[in-house]
Amino acid sequence: MPRPISDVTEAELAVLQVLWDRGTATIRQVTDIAYPQGRASDYGTVQKLLERLREKGHVSRERRDGAPHLFAATLDRDGLIGRSLQTMAEKLCDGSMTPLLTSLVRTERLSAEDRQALRRLVDELDGKGDRS
Amino acid sequence: MPRPISDVTEAELAVLQVLWDRGTATIRQVTDIAYPQGRASDYGTVQKLLERLREKGHVSRERRDGAPHLFAATLDRDGLIGRSLQTMAEKLCDGSMTPLLTSLVRTERLSAEDRQALRRLVDELDGKGDRS
DNA sequence: TTGGCTTCGAGACATTACGTCTGAGGCTCG
DNA sequence: CGAGCCTCAGACGTAATGTCTCGAAGCCAA
């Protein structure tokens, strides 16, 4: 039983990016931005993508009478990042995110400021109880 | 143009895990571990998966005469993790890994030891030049 | 040698995901 | 009324993925 999954696909992500940028948008607006070539069928494509994103719970829709539906992302960029990292941890690290963290710190060329920020973040966590 | 990608698929990952655990293995050995149900066709399945992994350059094969081919992973777990993080950064963060890092530190319930280890890692980086 | 086993290589196959496209119907506005 | 949007729903082609099968070849034991 073959079944590739990815929660948010390539084209869906392009749509999400527009919503992230603009906050809210109509299908027409998303289409104009995400498909500048302006094919006739692009509108329908975007509509389908928004529909699927809505089924997944990542996008909400506001009905307005006399005006086109207004769409907004319910999953923001950070949310998607967290979600993806979680999935990745489950697949590759038995659920633990620590290996990902280690890999990132090792790989990333962190500037001095980055390192400072990171240290501050950790200190912050130290403060907030959870001192296990 | 539809084209979902993932570099390493679900089934391929299962095969890789076996190679990571055992170091090297024959098709038969991988099959026995990854497909305990023991269908007749599983051998062929594993063979195909190994072939595809080899095309992607993630697995190497050693010919031995008189004995079945011996397979080994050329991409280890950390390598795959780094690779995946990289892909993710490109898709979601314009190539920068910093947002991933921040998200991880925020999300992960880091124990005191984890935090210590992380601090040490950062200090280590501070030492090694690259003090931009 | 024959028969049976395993391996190897290659390809066929069914199912699904994904992106795209189309048509029917409804509404508004001129 | 007609034109032009919008919405809903579904169909479609292509590709990916996992599975399955086949023919050829090698090895070993009887």
Side-chain angles (χ1 to χ4, degrees), chain B residues 48-112:
Chain B
K48 174 64 71 181
L49 294 173
L50 280 167
E51 175 193 329
R52 289 179 184 160
L53 280 169
R54 223 160 65 84
E55 286 168 3
K56 297 177 188 174
H58 299 340
V59 157
S60 70
R61 182 182 62 179
E62 181 192 347
R63 304 191 95 102
R64 307 177 299 170
D65 40 49
H69 291 168
L70 203 56
F71 293 85
T74 50
L75 180 67
D76 62 8
R77 192 186 304 263
D78 285 341
L80 182 54
I81 289 175
R83 201 185 177 76
S84 306
L85 288 172
Q86 185 80 41
T87 302
M88 200 169 146
E90 278 157 19
K91 284 210 243 177
L92 263 51
C93 315
D94 200 34
S96 163
M97 305 242 233
T98 312
L100 305 188
L101 191 52
T102 307
S103 173
L104 268 180
V105 175
R106 283 230 168 80
T107 302
E108 170 87 337
R109 296 184 174 283
L110 295 171
S111 65

Side-chain angles (χ1 to χ4, degrees), chain B residues 25-43:
Chain B
T26 64
I27 299 179
R28 178 63 56 192
Q29 291 168 332
V30 172
T31 306
D32 289 343
I33 297 178
Y35 292 76
Q37 328 99 47
R39 293 182 192 289
S41 58
D42 291 338
Y43 184 95

Side-chain angles (χ1 to χ4, degrees), chain A residues 2 27-28 43 47-48 61 63 68-69:
Chain A
I27 298 178
R28 178 65 55 192
Y43 185 94
Q47 181 170 308
K48 175 64 72 181
R61 182 182 62 178
R63 304 192 95 104
H69 291 168

